[in-house]
Amino acid sequence: MSKILFVLTGVDYWTLADGTRHPSGFWAEEVVAPYQRFTAEGHEIVVATPGGVVPTVDQGSLAPEVNGGQENADAVAAGLAAMTELQRPIRLEDVNLGDYAAVLYPGGHGPMEDLAVDAVSGRILVDALDSGLPLGVVCHGPAALLAATREDGANAFAGYQVAAFTNAEETQAGLAPKAKWLLETRLVEAGVEVQAAEPWAPHVVVDRNLVTGQNPASSAPLAAELLKKLA
């Protein structure tokens, strides 16, 4: 079957407004749920990070309270442990988009630290968008869209409808007052049309070849939409 590229953050923190580092990385469910959906259909997953560093899971994403209980948390942890691809990522700088049938950007606060300002990632996103390649971005993953600018400085995703982690969700999670900036606000400032739904409920938006999800609960539905495009 086809190869699908997972682009993950390469950092294990998110710098807050006061300069302190909030422990972070990628959000487990947003990697595990799509991985299980894609591999069940026979697709091969390749993980890429800036510099090819082994990505770090946000330990908070393994807690029972964010996974609907201990049983689900254990299942997510087990799914993560089974992903050997996470231990051998390729360098984002070495990605050849022509090798892949789709691209996925999971979230966690990590992308707000590195992918939001990563020119290599930005170029990959622009090329994926322009080529019509199915592109999935979920939760805080849309922070990476901020680096996807064209030669005139305009954001390549301006005018696109997207779902992304909302200001309301960041506020309810208790981190909005500590943040340097909020994802929904920055996306809107870049001309991206954020379609916000109820906090924490699954919400997926499809606009041309772009499929976006609002939060961790949107990960599996987003994967299902990407699979439709691959079919």
Side-chain angles (χ1 to χ4, degrees), residues 5 7 48 90-97 99-100 123-124:
L5 180 69
V7 178
I90 65 171
R91 289 173 9 111
L92 197 56
E93 298 85 345
D94 296 333
V95 165
N96 178 4
L97 265 186
D99 294 339
Y100 303 99
R123 190 191 71 244
I124 289 172

Side-chain angles (χ1 to χ4, degrees), residues 27-105:
W27 199 261
E29 181 182 359
E30 296 165 23
V31 172
V32 172
Y35 177 86
Q36 293 176 338
R37 291 289 185 103
F38 296 148
T39 55
E41 296 295 325
H43 297 290
E44 177 185 347
I45 305 303
V46 176
V47 173
T49 62
V53 303
V54 174
T56 299
V57 63
D58 186 321
Q59 290 298 315
S61 69
L62 300 175
E65 55 267 28
V66 299
N67 286 292
Q70 189 63 55
E71 185 177 351
N72 287 344
D74 291 344
V76 168
L80 201 62
M83 282 188 64
T84 57
E85 295 89 346
L86 290 170
Q87 301 307 313
R88 42 183 174 83
I90 65 171
R91 289 173 9 111
L92 197 56
E93 298 85 345
D94 296 333
V95 165
N96 178 4
L97 265 186
D99 294 339
Y100 303 99
V103 179
L104 175 70
Y105 275 70

